[in-house]
Structure formats: structure tokens, C-alpha cells
Amino acid sequence: MDLIVARNREDLVKARRAGTVALVPTMGALHEGHMSLIRQARVRADQVVVSVFVNPLQFTPNEDFSRYPRTFDADLDACRTEGVDVVFHPAAEDMYALDRQVGISSGEMGARVEGVFRPGHFDGVLTVVLKLFNLVRPDLAVFGQKDAQQLALIRRMVTDLDLPIEILGVPTVREPDGLALSSRNRYLSEDDRRVALALSRALRTGAAQFTAATIRAAAQEVLDAAGPDLGVDYLALVDPATFTEVGDDFGGVAVLAVAARVGGTRLIDNVTLTLNPA
């Protein structure tokens, strides 16, 4: 069956067919990381829907909404290659009423870690994701673990609002040098890229340790060694369900997350690891 491009709600209703539906929400500029999500969806569902929508609500002031890469024709080619059934590509006015008043709050969890530096970001993420869930009505939705806090909040929303949707997290895809794939990587110069590799190197170095204190110290040492061209926003070792910082005596599964600016580009990365209690 040919790929269907649904540009509004009516198109989306017509495109839906019987069987299990998987949704892969994206903002476009698709790369191999997105392809891994689509492939997992393809295995699990009869119909795969990929949304391509640059969501204005999740960009905070002075962020890169206007320059965020938009490569829709290339995205369509990639979706055809992966056997996607429907691409949902609405305009902002089809997603949000001009007098919109109601949205989703990400609560205290959305104000931690990434939320400290991007206030309101996760409110915008959850609002658009819930709208996509209501419009597409998927049985399954697939997200990348690179956005670990986003994934945790979406799972929390599904639980708190009793949404009948399975959430599947897919491991981060990395380039051969270790840099986590991101649509924003295309902004990096050759020199920027060398600096940016400190993020994944810090995570690997931290993950080789076994206690919270040594993990933090080892990862921070790598970030510090990168010098002033790496503007670190945070290095956080957190509970994967709540994104609260774990104590030095913590034992169990945790997420080591980092965010930094390289040139004019902000990058995030994380790794899940198991700590020994101190």
C-alpha cells in the first residue's frame, strides 16, 4: 500500500484501518535514530503512523524553533523506505486553536533536571503528545530513550490519565564516534563535534564506576577537561521514574544525564546504569 500523507484530522480518520496501530511522534528531520523507532513499530503493529510536526509549545523563548531543521520531502522518502503507512503532517493551526486555554502540566517532575533550563518545555511536550494520542488513537507509541526525562513523563501521563496505550522506549542510536544521533547534530562544525564528544565520553567514563559518588566525579572530570567550549548545563544522576537526584548511598538502577551547549547548539545525552549501594 502506498504511503498516505494526512495533513489534517479528516485525512487521518480516512487513513485509519483495522488492526493494531503504532504511533511514532517526531518533529521531522528524520535520522537513523527515528528509523530504529519506526522499525520497532513496524514489528509490533499492523499500521504505523509517523507524525511530523515541529511543536511550537515545547520551544522556550530564545530557542531554535524558527531554525529547527525542516526536511519534509526527505522525511517522506525515509518513511516510504521503512514501510510507514501514514505520515501525519498537520499545520499548527490544525493542532491548536488560536484561543487555546487548556494544556497538560508536567508537574514537579517536569520542573527537574532538563526542566530547570527549559521551563514549560515538558508541558508543551505532554500537551502535543496527548493531542496526537487522541487524534491517532494508537495502541502503541514508540519513543527514544535519548530523551529519557520526556519518556518518563509520558509514561507518567499515561498512568495518571489512564490512557489505554502501551509506551515502548527504544535505546539510543549513536554515530560511530559515540555521539548520540540528533536532528541538531547537523548544526555542529567539525571543531564543535570534537568538543561534543565529551558528552558521550563522560557518560561512558561514569558508567565504568559503581557508586553514585564515583560515577559523578568521573563523569564531571571528563566534562571539565573539555574546556570552555563546552557549556555544561547539568550532569545529573537520577531515579529513572521520577528524575530526582539519587544520594551517594543509592543502590539500584539510575540514569546519568547530561546537557551542554557547543557553539550555538544544545545537546543532551544519557545512559542507564546500575549502582552498588555505598
Side-chain angles (χ1 to χ4, degrees):
M1 183 177 293
D2 290 339
L3 174 67
I4 297 171
V5 179
R7 296 183 182 273
N8 53 50
R9 299 163 191 240
E10 293 75 19
D11 290 346
L12 195 58
V13 170
K14 293 175 184 175
R16 186 182 174 97
R17 65 173 191 262
T20 304
V21 176
L23 170 65
V24 182
T26 83
M27 293 205 299
L30 302 183
H31 51 65
E32 184 59 28
H34 297 107
M35 298 305 105
S36 71
L37 308 183
I38 292 169
R39 289 169 196 146
Q40 288 295 318
R42 182 76 281 164
V43 169
R44 296 286 305 276
D46 301 308
Q47 186 177 41
V48 175
V49 179
V50 173
S51 63
V52 176
F53 177 64
V54 183
N55 176 35
L57 295 192
Q58 68 190 70
F59 288 80
T60 58
N62 303 317
E63 287 192 337
D64 60 347
F65 174 72
S66 62
R67 66 187 284 258
Y68 190 86
R70 291 161 171 84
T71 58
F72 187 61
D73 290 342
D75 294 344
L76 285 181
D77 289 341
C79 287
R80 288 191 185 95
T81 299
E82 295 298 333
V84 171
D85 299 287
V86 181
V87 169
F88 181 42
H89 182 51
E93 55 267 27
D94 290 319
M95 288 296 288
Y96 300 117
L98 292 177
D99 60 347
R100 184 187 69 86
Q101 298 183 42
V102 177
I104 297 293
S105 169
S106 57
E108 291 183 3
M109 185 174 168
R112 297 172 187 145
V113 190
E114 184 76 359
V116 172
F117 295 88
R118 305 182 72 188
H121 165 70
F122 289 119
D123 295 352
V125 169
L126 295 185
T127 297
V128 77
V129 168
L130 182 58
K131 287 178 73 69
L132 289 169
F133 286 174
N134 288 334
L135 291 167
V136 177
R137 294 181 291 125
D139 303 284
L140 169 75
V142 188
F143 297 87
Q145 291 178 0
K146 185 177 80 73
D147 296 292
Q149 190 170 2
Q150 170 182 286
L151 177 59
L153 279 160
I154 289 167
R155 285 181 166 143
R156 185 77 244 183
M157 179 177 72
V158 165
T159 297
D160 288 352
L161 300 184
D162 298 311
L163 302 176
I165 300 169
E166 178 186 354
I167 303 300
L168 177 63
V170 176
T172 301
V173 176
R174 298 184 180 278
E175 301 197 39
D177 59 9
L179 188 67
L181 283 175
S182 169
S183 299
R184 292 181 169 93
N185 287 355
R186 67 189 66 201
Y187 297 149
L188 299 173
S189 69
E190 189 173 331
D191 288 341
D192 288 342
R193 188 182 182 88
R194 282 194 290 269
V195 174
L197 290 175
L199 274 69
S200 57
R201 191 162 60 248
L203 297 179
R204 288 196 306 272
T205 303
Q209 303 297 315
F210 300 101
T211 67
T214 56
I215 287 168
R216 288 188 178 101
Q220 187 64 57
E221 184 177 356
V222 173
L223 297 176
D224 291 344
D229 290 335
L230 185 72
V232 178
D233 281 349
Y234 60 79
L235 175 71
L237 187 62
V238 297
D239 182 315
T242 64
F243 268 69
T244 54
E245 286 273 357
V246 302
D248 285 347
D249 60 347
F250 178 83
V253 177
V255 170
L256 181 63
V258 63
R261 297 181 185 275
V262 183
T265 303
R266 188 174 186 273
L267 301 173
I268 64 171
D269 201 352
N270 70 84
V271 65
T272 300
L273 36 74
T274 301
L275 286 66
N276 294 334

